[in-house]
Structures are given as C-alpha cells and as structure tokens.
Amino acid sequence: MNFDFTEEQLMIQQAARDYAQRELIQDVLEREEKAEFPARHVKNLAELGFLGMMVSPEYDGAGMDSVSYVLALQEIAKVDASVAVIMSVNNSLVCYGLQRFANEEQKQKYLKPLARGEVIGAFLLSEPEAGSDATHQHAVAEDKGDYYLLNGTKNWITNASSASVYIVMAQTHPDKKSRGINAFIVDKNTPGITLGPHENKMGMRSSDTHSVMFSDVKVPKENRIGEDGFGFKFAMMVLEAGRIGIASQALGIATGAFERALAYSQERKAFGTEIFNHQSVAFKLSDMAVKIENARNLCLKAAWLKDNHQSITVAGAMAKQYAADIAMEVTTEAVQIHGGYGYVKEYHVERLMREAKLTQIYEGTSEIQKIIISRSLIKE
Amino acid sequence: MKILVLISNVPDTTTKIRFTGDNKSFDTNGVQWIINPWDELALTRAMELKEAGAFETITVANVGTQITESTLRKALAVGADEAIRVDAVPQDAFFVASQLAKVAEGYDVILAGIEASDYNGAGVGGMLAELLGINSVSAVSGLEIENGALKVHRDIDGGSQVLSVPTPVVLIVQKGIAIEPRIPAMRGIMMARKKPLNVIAPVDAESKTEFLGFELPAPKAACKMVEEDNAKELIRLLHEEAKVL
Amino acid sequence: MSVLVYTENWDGKFKKLSYEMVSLASAIAKQMGITVTALSIGHVADDELKSLGKYGANKVLNVQDNRFESLDNKALADAVAKAASKEGAKVIILAHNNEGKAIAPRVSVKLNAGLVSGVIGTPLSVNPFVVRKKVFTQKAFANIQIKSDIRVLTFAQNSFEIVENNVDTAVEVYDPQIADGEFNTKVLDTHKITGKVLLSDAEIVVSGGRGMKGPENWGGLEELGELLGAGMACSRPVSDEGWRSHEEHVGQTGKMIAPNLYLAFGISGAIQHLGGVSSSKVIVAVNKDPEAPIFEAADYGIVGDAFKVIPQLIEAVKEMKTA
C-alpha cells in the first residue's frame, strides 16, 4: 500500500486549485444566478489540458492517470460544480468512450479536437421515458444502407447547446432489445437536430442542459461506434468509468462546503467564543471530515483500479453513491453551521447544497448504484 | 541572450506561522511550499519574453535542500527549460548570493524577486550583482527587450522611470513585472520530468547574520465599533482618543 | 568611528524618514560611543543640511553630483561605501524603501558587512549587535545578530520616533570620485506624480477595495484623502481591475506601508492585504460584512455602507478643522 501522490499528481491538483481559487471563484455566483455557460473558463481549462486529461498524447490528450483526474475535478468542484460537470462529461464520457472504442479514423477526426478542448462533447442516452433504465431506447436509428436515419428525443443533456460533437444512443434493431442499440458520433450541426429550451435547474445552473430532438437526421455509416448492436454495452462501459468523474465532483462539492464551514466556525462568535469551540459544531465538523475522507478514499481507490486496468464496476458505484450521498449531508450541515448566513447566496454553501442534490440523481441515481452494489454482493 | 531567474522556496502565503524549539526555528510541519510570489512573477515575464523571441531558454536557480525540488519542478512545468539547485541549507542572504554567484556567470539578464515572503531579506539580488561586479536595478515593474536592448521600468518614490541599462544586469523585480503568475498546463507538468534539474555542490561561504529567535505578535485588542449612522463619532475618536488626526 | 545615515530628500527637503533615521543613528551612536554622519546626495540647501544637527548628526557629507540623479544602483552603492570607509562607519543605515533596498545589499558586500533589512527601532544590544525585524510578511518578529564588524541596516519607516537632540553640526562638501564608467543606468523617461502625497511617506493613508464597486466611486475617497492630507491606496483586486494605478496597491505583493493611520473602505482584509498594512499604528475599517477579516486587524470599525459613511466623515473632518 502506498498513499503518496506523485509530484505530477500534486502539481495537477495545485494547478486545478489555482485556477479554481483565482479564476472560477470570481464570477461563479454571477454565472450561477444568470445560468450563464462558462465559455471563457472552458477555453482556459482546455488550454491547460483539463478537457482531455486522460486521452493519450497520441490523440492530443494530456495522458494523465485517473488519480490526477480525481484530484483535479475535486478542486474544480469545490468552487464551481457546473464547470466540473462540463469537464466530467467531456473527459470521462465523451473522450473516454472514443479513446477506448472508436476506430482510428473516428479518433483522428473527433477525439483529437475534443481532447484539445477546442470543441466539447455531449453524451445522449437519457430519454423522457428512459432515464435510469437505459435498456429501452425509444430513439431509433434506421439502417438506410450507407447512412442511419435518426429520430427521437433525448433528455437532460449536459453541454447540449455548447457541444459540437454528440454521442447518441439509439435503437436500430428493436427485436434485439438492448443488443440492437447503437452508439453514433453525430455532428451537432447536422440538419434535423433541434434543442428544447434551456432547463431552469435548481443547481449547476451554468451548465447548459436541454432536451435534444432528432428528426430524420442522417448519420453517416462510418460514425457508428463499434460493431452493429454494440451501443448498449458501449454506454454501460462508458457510464461505469464516468462514475469516477461524478463521484469526484460530489467529493469536491462536499469538500468546498466543509472548508467554508470550518473557516466560518473559527471566525464566527456566539456566546463569547468562536462557534468551533461549541461541541455541537465541532462534532458536526468531525463527522463531515470523516465522511469526506471516506468518499475520497473510495474515489481514489476506484481511480487506482482503473489505472491498473482492473474492474471498477463495484468500486465506481460505491464511490459515486457514497460521495453523492455524503455531499448532500455535508452541504446541508455546512448551511446549518453558517446559520442565517448559510441561507444567503454570498456565502456559497446554499449553492453547494443545491449542487450536491444533482450528484445523487444524474449518471445513475444513488438507488441505481445500490442495485449494482447489492447485485455484486451475491455474485459468485 | 541568456536569462536566469532566481527562485526562492517559501511557505504558502496563507500558512499559519508557528515556531518550534524555544522559538528558535520556523515550524515547517505541514507547510506547503510554493515559488516565492515575486519570483513567480519574474518567471512569468521571462516566459512572455521568451515567447516573443528574446530568449531561447530560461534557466532557474535555487539554493536549498532536496525539499525545494518540487518548487523547481513547478518552475519547469510553468515553462523554464532547466533548473539548477545548489545543494545547501540557505543560511543568510550573503551565503545564498555567494552560492548563486558561482552559477550566475555568463547570463545576460538575471531576474530576482524584490524579497522572499518568508524572511523578507531583500538582499540576495543586490548582493549577487555586487559579487559579480555587474549592474543592478531594483524596484523593477516592467521589462521589455528589443533587439537585445533592455528597457526597464522601475518604481521610484512618487513615480516611475523608464531606463536603459547594459547587460549583464541583475533586475530586482516587484509587482507589475507581470500581471498574474501562470498556471502550469498539463503538458508542461509532464515535460517537467524530462527537463534537466542539475544539483551542484555548494562553495564555502560564511554567513554574516544569524537568527536568534522568533516571536509572534501579541494579540490585538478588539476592534472598537462605531454605528454606521454615527460615523462622525469615528473622527472624534481618532482625534481625541487615538490622537492620529 | 561613526554611524552613517543615507538620507533621502524630496524637492530639496529631507523626507521625514531622514529625520527618523538620524534620530535612530544618534541613539545607536550613543550606545556605541561613536558619532553620527549623515550623507546627503542631491540638491539640499545648507540650512536644511544643518537641520540634521537638531536630531544628532555631528557631520553632514554633502554630495552635489548630478550624475547620481539616475539612481544608478552600482554608482550609488560605491559612493555610500566610500563615505562609510572615509567615516570609519561601523553601522550604515538606509531606508527600507525602493532606494534603500536597491543600494544596501551592494554596500554590504563592498564593506564585507552583514545586512538586515526592515529593522524596527533601536538594536536590542550593540555588543553583540542584535536587531529586530518583522518576518513572514508581518506575521512574526525575529531577532537577528549581525556577526560582522560593520553592519548595514535598512530601517522600517515609522518604527522609531523622531527625537530632538541638538548637536553642533559640520557640513562638509564631499566628492566620492566615482568614475563616469560606473554610471550605466540611463533614464529615458521619468513619470513623477506631483502635488500628491507620497504613499510611502504619508502619515495618513486612505484606501479603497472591491467594495467601492468601481473607479467612478473614488470621488468621496479622494475628497477625504485631500482633506486629511493623506496618500491614496487600494487593494489588489482594485489595481488588478485597473480601477486604480498599481502604484497605489498596498499589500504583501504591492507596497508595504506603515502610516500612523490607515483607513480601509470596502476592503475585506485578505491575509495578503493585511501583510502590507499591519504595521500601521491605527487601522480603521469600514465594511458591509461584519465577518470581514479586516475587523480582526482594525482598531476602529464601522459595519456599514462605505457610500453612507464617507460623506459623514468628510463633514466631520471639515468640522474638526474649523473647530
């Protein structure tokens, strides 16, 4: 066992921290209030290499490991979870999916600009009637010989209007059920694609979320990822890796709230002393610290397994479920410690609390993670 | 032209300062080390000038033990091309300047921060110039290089000046030399590992000063509050009680 | 043997800090049983030169040489070192400001002397020679022994009260005979702020932070500053945003100041800011946020809107002046 980070990992953590504490913090409240996409920050983070962190340098990525990715996402999410989710979708869903499963031509054409962060991507799986249960895809991709004809609606799509590249899952062979699903790389500006209105969300308001409608959209045959019918497996394997991203984001949200509550508890006085000196507050912080440490260890363990090419099915689910759930708990307590100040926007913790909620819902709800974990318990 | 940027390894500026051993030495336990903020700005300006074609390579140098290597690596990650570490415990400014004098020969421009944020010595840059027998300009807040000629902006009391000064020269820089330090890009971080970090043995040099002990300031009396609507009372207090008006 | 003071002047008059340094030198000279020599470079009238005697200067070396106007660090250091040798100086005192910091390290090497920068007040002892200074950017004090026979100090302004101590003073015209070749710094352009109070020499400083919301709102602060004869300062975000010139930025990475009174409006008091102002004798904070860390450092505070407070202060100062 070795819990030490490498010099590079620490430098990446510091770089992410510097960017978050110097730049993101400046306008996070304003962007969140206006639900404004952080275009400038995405561009800066791309230049620093944060949008294709784990893509190999051969395809213009930074070639970093997953442990670095966890550390970086945590720092970004401490300050701005919206930016963290943009990063997470691009890195661990879109880039990861293409790097692992796309063919050489697809990588040259699509992965490279995505890894450089010149364009960003979106991952289109959820549907109005299929969120957690992805086996039933209503979107259809009809095989028309040299192209597919795509029809249907996708819901809750992060980066929907900012992305240039879509990865879309749709049903080609309904009789084969999930084995008939395909995954496609779709240029967003293909005719027939329209966006629903910007979702007016409770939190992570500056990431742009829309529904996306496909109406007779022609997708070239060469844009299918993998063999015919590989789409569902593709989506599941990508989501599995993606959990590390969302778990790290949740961990960051929790850490951000914790650090603010800890600092506040040493400044704010009540009954003649800093409130940290009241056991009721100190013990809350102690509980929060333990939860964060656990979540961090789960995230890093999952990342380590991935870096060492071992299965992350269970570890990723555990990290995602636990980190999301404790993010909700920790942020709620952070608001409580701040008292009335915690309920106003300037103090950030109410925002972190709203952001935490989404981590329990998207990319597999906590309940879905528990299904995965519990099933693994009785497997041979 | 060749440029050398002097790098001091200092505790993060938000570090809580504590002392150990009868208040004789700084407690480095749990301290996070960073590039001295002024040195970091110097490096940033050096990078900008390199990108504009004024220099081909940037060398950074530090006097310190192995713990300073991660700080030098950071400088390499930001964009310096090679690093030199003189392997010694820095004793005082004269000791450090004497070490650097051995590595600084042959550079046209040497950039040093106005002071290090730990011991605030403000001595190394000027001493180094004197030891090398070359020019120095202090309080430098801007540097431009055109066709090998230096245009140096420096702050003077109540204003600023633009100077020309021949090389080799030590420029002792402060705020303004660059806007904001750079965050290393991931590519830079990966490349840093492959860049040379040369460790060299120290030369004999005596220290002329010695820290005898440290002390934390006494806690301040509580702030006396005046109501917003009664701000005039503040002027009365400053006049009659504090006697500063 | 003597204590040598490198004095500074502004528009032909000695800066207040020159008197502080001569007073300090006089105190040190007494402890060591030696005399005080002041070095004046530039155009200062004889009466003004003689005025140093009031604070204990036994001798004033008057250097009139226009070449020094370029503030060439090397040539100036040469001149100071030569004067020090001529006067058998055991201690050389310069100001801890742009000029002093530029010259002192070079002088120390020339004289084989130990250097301590930013010394506060008199030495704790002269044998051994132990001085005190702030370290970790104002967060702690250190006692430092200078082991060499000659010592160079830069003196932290406002850390020693001016003391009158009349002695007979001799003004001696002095030419340190620096060769032309030593002057290599050429001034191409000088931009001097005139008619304004020097921030580094100001006894009162009025300072604004991000809470002032924009450069258009500085009118009230400037009016207050003018009434008080104060220098104007600002916090880092303000100069970074370009609301005010970076010459006004005070803080750990900007200017370090130590006025008698520091008035901070709309400045939250980040640790880096406090690092640059905490040597002020009295700190006043006006901030909307009662939790702003500046109140921890302040002596007087108002929790409230700077825009409501400033007009009241202006009025009160006017009343005080007419009273």
Side-chain angles (χ1 to χ4, degrees), chain A residues 27-215:
Chain A
D27 56 354
V28 58
L29 291 176
E30 198 186 325
R31 273 185 285 109
E32 140 91 12
E33 183 80 26
K34 294 188 190 156
E36 182 185 304
F37 185 79
R40 178 175 71 91
H41 296 299
V42 170
K43 185 170 170 284
N44 291 343
L45 287 166
E47 277 167 14
L48 292 173
F50 282 109
L51 289 192
M53 280 186 71
M54 293 168 295
V55 175
S56 84
E58 189 187 343
Y59 298 107
D60 293 349
M64 294 293 169
D65 59 6
S66 305
V67 169
S68 307
Y69 178 59
V70 171
L71 297 175
L73 259 184
Q74 184 187 8
E75 292 301 327
I76 299 294
K78 263 161 70 172
V79 177
D80 191 336
S82 295
V83 172
V85 71
I86 295 163
M87 237 177 100
S88 175
V89 167
N90 205 65
N91 273 293
S92 46
L93 298 184
V94 180
C95 286
Y96 173 77
L98 293 179
Q99 158 113 31
R100 185 151 171 213
F101 300 109
N103 63 36
E104 186 57 29
E105 278 155 44
Q106 292 168 339
K107 285 182 190 173
Q108 292 294 339
K109 186 171 176 193
Y110 294 103
L111 178 57
K112 277 185 162 182
L114 282 163
R116 290 194 297 265
E118 286 166 10
V119 299
I120 58 170
F123 191 80
L124 293 78
L125 177 65
S126 292
E127 297 192 350
E129 287 156 62
S132 292
D133 178 8
T135 56
H136 298 96
Q137 291 282 308
H138 290 261
V140 291
E142 213 181 322
D143 190 342
K144 292 281 188 184
D146 52 355
Y147 64 90
Y148 286 91
L149 199 63
L150 193 54
N151 278 287
T153 300
K154 293 291 175 181
N155 253 26
W156 317 123
I157 304 307
T158 304
N159 296 347
S161 79
S162 313
S164 306
V165 178
Y166 284 175
I167 308 247
V168 185
M169 267 51 70
Q171 183 57 269
T172 303
H173 311 286
D175 51 316
K176 293 189 186 166
K177 302 204 171 138
S178 67
R179 285 194 196 89
I181 295 171
N182 273 313
F184 303 97
I185 307 169
V186 181
D187 280 305
K188 195 190 84 181
N189 55 11
T190 314
I193 298 179
T194 50
L195 297 191
H198 187 289
E199 301 288 356
N200 189 8
K201 301 196 297 292
M202 169 181 169
M204 299 204 205
R205 294 173 48 78
S206 63
S207 95
D208 68 294
T209 311
H210 299 254
S211 54
V212 180
M213 276 75 76
F214 295 87
S215 156

Side-chain angles (χ1 to χ4, degrees), chain B residues 169-192:
Chain B
V169 64
V170 177
L171 301 177
I172 298 153
V173 307
Q174 60 187 33
K175 161 148 176 151
I177 184 75
I179 302 298
E180 198 158 80
R182 290 198 181 184
I183 294 171
M186 242 154 281
R187 201 170 295 260
I189 292 173
M190 290 310 276
M191 270 154 49

Side-chain angles (χ1 to χ4, degrees), chain B residues 38 118 121 157 208 220 241, chain C residues 15 112 117 136 252 297 300:
Chain B
W38 291 277
D118 48 6
D157 263 1
K208 296 179 188 296
K220 211 173 156 107
E241 187 178 272
Chain C
K15 293 182 190 170
N112 207 9
S117 320
F136 295 98
Q252 195 160 335
Y300 297 95

Side-chain angles (χ1 to χ4, degrees), chain B residues 189-245:
Chain B
I189 292 173
M190 290 310 276
M191 270 154 49
R193 205 187 321 181
K194 299 183 191 110
K195 291 177 177 173
L197 196 166
N198 303 315
V199 179
I200 62 168
V203 295
D204 279 336
E206 48 162 351
S207 68
K208 296 179 188 296
T209 59
E210 190 181 332
F211 280 91
L212 301 182
F214 297 93
E215 230 174 274
L216 291 171
K220 211 173 156 107
C223 183
K224 200 167 196 171
M225 302 309 287
V226 175
E227 290 299 312
E228 184 188 26
D229 301 330
N230 193 21
K232 286 182 166 183
E233 170 68 4
L234 179 65
I235 298 298
R236 191 193 68 78
L237 286 167
L238 292 175
H239 182 53
E240 291 171 17
E241 187 178 272
K243 298 191 187 339
V244 286
L245 283 183

Side-chain angles (χ1 to χ4, degrees), chain B residues 22-68:
Chain B
D22 244 5
N23 281 337
K24 291 242 185 318
S25 52
F26 172 57
D27 183 359
T28 55
N29 233 322
V31 166
Q32 191 160 1
W33 301 95
I34 59 166
I35 302 178
N36 180 38
W38 291 277
D39 303 345
E40 203 176 13
L41 288 176
L43 178 60
T44 303
R45 187 61 192 145
M47 288 293 303
E48 291 164 358
L49 290 166
K50 179 185 159 187
E51 282 155 12
F55 306 107
E56 280 193 359
T57 57
I58 297 171
T59 306
V60 292
N62 160 271
V63 177
T65 59
Q66 209 183 347
I67 65 157
T68 69

Side-chain angles (χ1 to χ4, degrees), chain A residues 70 73-81 84 245-259 292 299 323 327 331 352:
Chain A
V70 171
L73 259 184
Q74 184 187 8
E75 292 301 327
I76 299 294
K78 263 161 70 172
V79 177
D80 191 336
I246 301 305
S248 311
Q249 183 201 28
L251 170 65
I253 293 169
T255 317
F258 169 75
E259 288 178 359
I292 288 171
C299 287
T331 52
L352 290 160

